Amino acid sequence: MSTSRPLQNRVAPNGEICARPARGLMMGNRGGRLHGPDQRLGIRRWASKAWISCRLSFNNRRRQVMNAGYTELFFLDEATALAAGHRPCFECRRKQALAFAEAWANAAGLADRPRAPEMDAVLHAERLGDCDTIRLGDAPDGVMVRLADGPALIWGGALRPWSFDGYATPRPLNPDAKALALTPASVRAVLSHGYRPMVHPSADRTADPARADRREGA
């Protein structure tokens, strides 16, 4: 009987790296190697400020996960990666990375798209800071918030409870309610200026009519 254990390389919206069997739709890294020869993480949780989100496959490259080189991390979807502070990769997701940088420039009033290190410096400071309290009605689609019972995605005018396996039945969103935003402020601004993240298909399920009278918010 196999006694294999899930590797600790699945990322939650708050940035925590967990051991779960669900792989998700995206891969990424935090600038280098975080694991040892036993495929277990050490103390540190990043190797550089360059935290990126990547495609699961690119140019037929093959890697043995958590072997030599950087530590591969996995996300349910891009909304999860963005909440954890990972921007799009300029190599395997160049189109999305350029769109992200363009929206960043528009949000910040910059004349030109920022370079990756410029965005990484801002994102890293936000990752190390405290979460902001926001009004739910002011948040664009793609933002993750922390509710009393866990993370939830704001998508299509509803709150969609998050898990490593996907999103649960959506809940009505009270626009005047407030919650802690897991998605960093700079990323929220990017989302407000037109960047549309890739989300897990379960985010598009319809609401349960039996719960239509509930208005959720922390």
Side-chain angles (χ1 to χ4, degrees):
M1 178 181 294
S2 173
T3 58
S4 62
R5 55 179 171 79
L7 297 174
Q8 187 182 357
N9 58 7
R10 278 58 170 170
V11 182
N14 65 357
E16 183 180 358
I17 305 174
C18 305
R20 296 289 190 279
R23 184 174 68 168
L25 300 180
M26 301 199 75
M27 189 184 79
N29 67 75
R30 294 182 178 178
R33 183 168 177 162
L34 310 179
H35 64 279
D38 60 356
Q39 296 186 311
R40 295 180 184 272
L41 297 192
I43 297 175
R44 68 177 184 172
R45 290 296 179 265
W46 63 84
S48 80
K49 296 178 182 179
W51 296 22
I52 60 175
S53 61
C54 303
R55 296 166 55 180
L56 290 178
S57 61
F58 180 64
N59 285 352
N60 294 318
R61 295 177 185 174
R62 296 289 184 269
R63 295 180 58 86
Q64 182 177 339
V65 174
M66 293 181 80
N67 187 24
Y70 63 81
T71 298
E72 298 87 350
L73 302 173
F74 294 92
F75 312 89
L76 172 68
D77 58 10
E78 187 175 13
T80 304
L82 290 174
H86 289 248
R87 61 165 173 80
C89 173
F90 272 91
E91 183 181 10
C92 68
R93 303 185 63 223
R94 185 164 183 80
K95 178 179 178 181
Q96 292 82 3
L98 291 174
F100 184 89
E102 186 69 34
W104 184 299
N106 292 335
L110 304 177
D112 299 306
R113 288 192 301 258
R115 297 175 62 85
E118 298 174 84
M119 295 187 287
D120 292 339
V122 174
L123 285 167
H124 197 65
E126 292 175 336
R127 291 190 293 256
L128 297 179
D130 295 327
C131 294
D132 301 324
T133 298
I134 62 170
R135 178 179 173 274
L136 297 184
D138 295 333
D141 273 4
V143 167
M144 289 273 191
V145 295
R146 180 185 298 156
L147 302 182
D149 56 352
L153 171 70
I154 295 176
W155 193 256
L159 289 165
R160 298 166 192 272
W162 177 94
S163 77
F164 283 100
D165 296 305
Y167 296 98
T169 301
R171 305 171 184 176
L173 182 151
N174 179 355
D176 293 321
K178 295 182 178 181
L180 287 175
L182 296 174
T183 306
S186 60
V187 178
R188 299 198 305 271
V190 166
L191 295 172
S192 292
H193 282 76
Y195 186 78
R196 187 79 170 175
M198 183 271 287
V199 299
H200 193 270
S202 59
D204 290 325
R205 72 179 69 188
T206 58
D208 182 351
R211 303 179 64 171
D213 59 341
R214 294 186 59 184
R215 303 188 67 81
E216 301 285 344

